Amino acid sequence: MRVTEGGIDLEVPGEQTEGVEESVFYNPRQELNRDLTIATLRTFREREERAESYLDAMTASGVRGIRAAADGWDVTCCDLEADAVDLARENLERNDLADEARVEHRNVNALMHDEMFDVIDLDPYGTPMPFADAAFARCRDLLCVTATDTAPLCGAHFNSGVRSYSAVPQNTDYHPEMGVRILVSALARSGARFDVGVEPILTHATSHYVRTYLELDRKASAADAALEHLGHIYHCEDCLYRETEHGQVADPLESCPHCGGNRLLTAGPVWLGPVQDTEFVAAVRSAIPDAFGTAEKARELCETLEAEVDEPTHYDQHKLCKNWGLPANAMDEFLDDLREAGYAASPAHYGGTTFKTDASVGEIRAATEGSLE
Ligand SMILES: [Zn+2]
């Protein structure tokens, strides 16, 4: 099947599945992810002019690496599958970019052991953690990471999450945010083993994947500083109260300070620090050209991220109202009530009725319930 994306023409072997053409080498659902990647690379190059080399670590059809090569990056594509390597080479030639990028048929951990790259992009199927150590050892400036194992990350597949991320994820009403916080925590701890500090400059999540861009600082003091952002979330399953505490050691609550219940969960270590650099995200938004297939959606996402209150968990208005036995009202009105009561409040980019605020669950109810009858 023929695909055009970001000005690049691709040929990918397709299969008819339930009347829809699909390819194991090309996932159209990730086009937004790739459009944002290219805009992020453009923005990052202005910040770090020295950055030239880009590794597309799991290249498949080659689409991400080819788009980066078309943008002037010194690209290496890598894949373990011979079919993918042939396909990526064909697609580079199809776009007259065969001289701008090379394709390696190798285990990418071995490749990263041999060579350093300014930017490394890990976009595996499932967890990226088996590649994190080699990436932190050999990446100079920017590490881009996708995780598609959202059920382990958010605590829905508990044991798998514990194994992959050396952390305790919990299944709460803020699934995607739990995934974000567990993933960045695990990456920060992997980086620290190599005396590398991480700063997440852009992070977004859907029900299908979590994506984060980490600016690296290769010194021990930066790694220490990153670890300062780790801590735990204590969460009440009855009233949805949650609080966070920084530090490597958890000191769980014995009972809920809001409802007195004892069905409390502890998640962590999670990343409690910021996951966006708001100015960087705004610059990424302006770097998205109209020609990108997902331009409108990608800009909207950036705008929501820029405005999002910097809190490590989000709420879901419908779940809160259901818990209180009250009807939900319009989100705008609900958030206005919070702001009028003096709290910060914003929609969350996770969609639906998710929002972020610095108010506690009791404060949210007191500020909004007058409008909920
Ligand atoms: Zn409670």
Side-chain angles (χ1 to χ4, degrees):
M1 67 197 226
R2 192 76 184 273
V3 178
T4 306
E5 184 187 300
I8 298 296
D9 289 319
L10 301 167
E11 191 70 50
V12 289
E15 277 166 35
Q16 289 282 340
T17 317
E18 291 165 14
V20 185
E21 210 168 13
E22 286 184 4
S23 170
V24 292
F25 296 106
Y26 176 82
N27 183 353
R29 279 205 311 209
Q30 295 274 17
E31 184 174 358
L32 173 79
N33 180 338
R34 287 186 294 265
D35 281 352
L36 273 174
T37 301
I38 298 302
T40 298
L41 290 176
R42 286 178 186 175
T43 308
F44 188 76
R45 191 156 44 189
E46 281 164 28
R47 180 187 274 222
E48 180 55 74
E49 287 173 6
R50 200 177 46 74
E52 287 176 355
S53 57
Y54 172 82
L55 171 64
D56 178 3
M58 297 87 189
T59 203
S61 70
V63 57
R64 210 181 282 258
I66 295 170
R67 292 185 62 178
D71 248 28
W73 288 85
D74 171 15
V75 171
T76 304
C77 298
C78 186
D79 209 292
L80 200 52
E81 303 291 331
D83 288 352
V85 169
D86 291 343
L87 186 61
R89 285 189 180 134
E90 282 163 29
N91 281 324
L92 272 165
E93 271 171 36
R94 196 181 309 280
N95 291 280
D96 292 325
L97 289 166
D99 295 336
E100 327 299 325
R102 67 189 162 113
V103 185
E104 294 275 344
H105 182 199
R106 281 189 80 178
N107 177 318
V108 76
N109 279 337
L111 174 67
M112 289 189 282
H113 182 76
D114 286 349
E115 272 185 63
M116 281 201 85
F117 297 91
D118 298 328
V119 181
I120 292 180
D121 200 323
L122 303 177
D123 186 55
Y125 180 74
T127 175
M129 295 317 288
F131 310 98
D133 280 4
F136 277 113
R138 308 298 277 168
C139 181
R140 281 193 197 91
D141 298 310
L142 181 70
L143 181 60
C144 322
V145 182
T146 307
T148 62
D149 57 332
T150 52
L153 270 173
C154 76
H157 293 172
F158 182 79
N159 290 338
S160 173
V162 171
R163 289 197 305 274
S164 292
Y165 297 99
S166 306
V168 175
Q170 295 287 4
N171 200 354
T172 61
D173 49 316
Y174 36 96
H175 288 200
E177 184 88 44
M178 181 64 67
V180 163
R181 304 286 161 175
I182 289 284
L183 176 65
V184 178
S185 156
L187 292 169
R189 285 178 285 125
S190 289
R193 287 204 290 277
F194 298 90
D195 289 349
V196 177
V198 302
E199 189 200 332
I201 53 176
L202 171 58
T203 307
H204 59 104
T206 68
S207 50
H208 306 299
Y209 64 90
V210 181
R211 175 76 165 168
T212 188
Y213 298 85
L214 305 173
E215 187 171 19
L216 307 187
D217 191 354
R218 304 194 64 90
K219 51 180 198 258
S221 58
D224 288 339
L227 295 183
E228 298 276 309
H229 290 296
L230 298 184
H232 294 83
I233 299 173
Y234 310 128
H235 174 88
C236 174
E237 291 192 278
D238 289 327
C239 73
L240 308 179
Y241 172 89
R242 72 286 306 259
E243 67 177 59
T244 60
E245 184 178 38
H246 283 75
Q248 305 287 345
V249 180
D251 184 14
L253 298 169
E254 283 181 18
S255 61
C256 174
H258 182 58
C259 74
N262 58 8
R263 295 203 314 131
L264 289 157
L265 302 173
T266 299
V270 291
W271 177 268
L272 295 174
V275 289
Q276 323 290 348
D277 172 338
T278 307
E279 276 178 35
F280 184 84
V281 179
V284 169
R285 175 165 49 82
S286 0
I288 300 165
D290 291 338
F292 281 6
T294 72
E296 205 175 318
K297 262 180 125 176
R299 286 186 197 128
E300 260 176 37
L301 172 60
C302 288
E303 237 170 308
T304 309
L305 293 173
E306 288 162 56
E308 214 172 78
V309 176
D310 177 24
E311 286 288 328
T313 71
H314 67 77
Y315 293 91
D316 184 321
Q317 186 217 16
H318 281 184
K319 285 180 187 155
L320 282 177
C321 290
K322 197 175 162 206
N323 223 31
W324 301 336
L326 293 170
N329 59 350
M331 268 301 269
D332 287 351
E333 194 187 343
F334 186 85
L335 296 180
D336 279 345
D337 281 347
L338 280 169
R339 293 187 196 110
E340 270 163 37
Y343 303 107
S346 73
H349 76 280
Y350 309 109
T353 49
T354 63
F355 68 98
K356 288 201 168 191
T357 178
D358 56 359
S360 71
V361 71
E363 290 165 339
I364 299 171
R365 180 164 181 171
T368 61
E369 73 181 334
S371 311
L372 296 175
E373 264 88 28

